[in-house]
Amino acid sequence: IIPLIAKADTLTPDECREFKKTILNEIAQHKIRIYEFPDCDDEEEMKIQKRLRDRVPFAVVGSNRVIEMGGKRLRGRQYPWGLVEVENLEHNDFIALRNMLIRTHMQDLKDVTNNVHYENFRYNKLAPSTNEGKIKPGSLTK
């Protein structure tokens, strides 16, 4: 699980920070397992990992509109008080999330999905079970 806050443009920066803290506290309190960034040896990678960890849960804004402003074409949302740019890290975490999912952690996410989640699913489907759906004790050992 990678936690997200959708429609982050409905929150002020202070509200967003507080909401992130609340979400992280709820996740810890209910012992919900979220994606754990892999360990790395390189100091530069560790800095990148820390910056990504600090942004969890990712507060994102989406838009299908391209707005022209100052001769530049930007994806964002126009409001009476200003413009929220989708691809601006000062406005939301979309770029950090996109980079994490597609550029820096894609292979790790695929490995975790295959080696952990799929294998757990496979184990549960192939294991003999009781009428209540629980695995029979000792049924998987010889």
Side-chain angles (χ1 to χ4, degrees):
I1 295 175
I2 299 172
L4 297 178
I5 300 171
K7 298 185 178 183
D9 53 336
T10 62
L11 303 169
T12 66
D14 291 336
E15 289 172 334
C16 190
R17 272 190 295 280
E18 287 301 314
F19 194 43
K20 283 184 174 194
K21 287 179 190 174
T22 302
I23 290 171
L24 289 175
N25 287 338
E26 292 280 325
I27 287 170
Q29 180 182 1
H30 295 286
K31 297 179 176 93
I32 298 170
R33 293 182 58 206
I34 62 173
Y35 177 71
E36 295 177 21
F37 292 91
D39 295 329
C40 53
D41 300 327
D42 186 29
E43 196 169 309
E44 188 64 31
E45 280 187 43
M46 287 175 67
K47 288 179 185 177
I48 293 170
Q49 299 272 29
K50 171 133 177 48
R51 278 185 265 157
L52 286 172
R53 273 193 206 106
D54 291 344
R55 289 191 175 270
V56 171
F58 295 97
V60 296
V61 175
S63 178
N64 58 357
R65 289 207 173 138
V66 176
I67 300 166
E68 193 158 328
M69 186 164 206
K72 286 180 151 181
R73 296 177 53 111
L74 307 167
R75 187 167 303 277
R77 291 183 182 215
Q78 183 71 48
Y79 292 102
W81 47 264
L83 175 70
V84 175
E85 297 175 43
V86 171
E87 297 179 351
N88 185 336
L89 281 172
E90 293 178 12
H91 294 185
N92 71 96
D93 299 330
F94 176 78
I95 292 292
L97 176 65
R98 182 183 70 188
N99 289 342
M100 187 204 98
L101 290 175
I102 297 174
R103 294 188 179 138
T104 59
H105 292 82
M106 169 88 63
Q107 190 58 49
D108 185 57
L109 287 162
K110 288 166 82 173
D111 292 343
V112 168
T113 300
N114 185 52
N115 298 334
V116 177
H117 302 303
Y118 175 70
E119 288 301 325
N120 286 340
F121 168 80
R122 189 172 158 268
Y123 174 85
N124 288 329
K125 288 298 177 186
L126 294 175
S129 61
T130 64
N131 289 340
E132 295 99 32
K134 295 181 180 174
I135 298 170
K136 291 179 185 174
S139 63
L140 297 175
T141 58
K142 288 196 172 197

